[in-house]
Amino acid sequence: MWLYDWFEERLEIQCIADDILGKLVPPHVNIFYCFGGVVSLLFLFQVISGLGLTMYYSPSVVSAFSSVLNIVGQVHLGWLNRSIHRWSGSSMVSALILHAFRVYLTGGFKKPRELIWMTGVILGVCTVSFGVTGYSLPWDQVAYWACKIVTAVPEALDEFLPGVGSLLVLTIRGGFSVGSGTLTRFYSIHTFLL
């Protein structure tokens, strides 16, 4: 109990808790208002499981797939860690879509909350970017071809701004074709930039 008293004396935890718990929930709030919290919880799962995967993953074209096989087959509970990471990533995108629909349908983006909506859109783009970059990391056939297709999409910009799309493709891929540079860039973006 002395630890609680020590924190209470410095942080006034009970006062904060009373303030939070003393607020009444409006009658129109229902289960659909929880999707933002679900997205946050799934993001926490992603960070924790991702840190575990990073310790054993090798981001090179030669060893990426074998390192994933090693994680799943040899590392203690590696299969569980990878499954949590994969399923929570997919669930996070689904919960994010449901959250965006709920906010849109209830008008939660209107004044004075426009900035919160814009922040949410930016976080949504980051979440999808996590998914796109993470999908290619196992570097199996599905990941390779998905990476090839996704990195070719900016080429469509050449119709509007000649040369810009091709430059973007070269920048994203790290060369003319999908290869080691692409995998390294996607891994760096997935783990460090986002």
Side-chain angles (χ1 to χ4, degrees):
M1 202 63 177
W2 63 270
L3 187 62
Y4 174 80
D5 292 335
W6 186 83
F7 275 108
E8 177 61 32
E9 184 179 326
R10 285 155 182 78
L11 301 175
E12 298 179 357
I13 297 170
Q14 191 61 49
C15 181
I16 295 169
D18 290 342
D19 183 50
I20 292 171
L21 297 174
K23 295 190 186 318
L24 296 174
V25 178
H28 69 278
V29 174
N30 55 33
I31 192 73
F32 299 111
Y33 283 75
C34 296
F35 287 128
V38 169
V39 172
S40 300
L41 180 68
L42 291 170
F43 177 73
L44 186 65
F45 286 170
Q46 286 286 290
V47 170
I48 293 168
S49 62
L51 286 172
L53 291 172
T54 303
M55 293 180 197
Y56 296 99
Y57 179 74
S58 174
S60 78
V61 172
V62 176
S63 60
F65 184 68
S66 61
S67 69
V68 171
L69 289 178
N70 179 50
I71 290 169
V72 174
Q74 303 298 322
V75 176
H76 181 65
L77 295 179
W79 62 271
L80 179 64
N81 194 20
R82 181 169 184 245
S83 296
I84 288 171
H85 196 72
R86 191 170 182 165
W87 280 100
S88 62
S90 299
S91 301
M92 184 175 165
V93 172
S94 301
L96 179 73
I97 291 168
L98 292 172
H99 176 66
F101 278 141
R102 198 276 310 158
V103 171
Y104 182 75
L105 293 175
T106 58
F109 60 91
K110 295 178 182 173
K111 188 177 181 180
R113 298 183 195 99
E114 307 99 327
L115 189 58
I116 295 172
W117 174 258
M118 287 183 238
T119 305
V121 169
I122 291 168
L123 288 173
V125 169
C126 286
T127 301
V128 172
S129 300
F130 266 124
V132 168
T133 56
Y135 194 77
S136 63
L137 296 183
W139 208 249
D140 54 1
Q141 283 293 313
V142 174
Y144 173 80
W145 289 107
C147 185
K148 194 161 180 75
I149 291 167
V150 166
T151 57
V153 169
E155 241 173 355
L157 288 174
D158 280 342
E159 292 181 24
F160 305 107
L161 301 165
V164 173
S166 301
L167 181 65
L168 274 173
V169 170
L170 285 173
T171 305
I172 293 169
R173 287 183 177 172
F176 289 103
S177 64
V178 173
S180 182
T182 313
L183 181 62
T184 305
R185 286 168 193 254
F186 275 30
Y187 178 73
S188 299
I189 291 168
H190 188 77
T191 53
F192 303 118
L193 187 62
L194 294 174

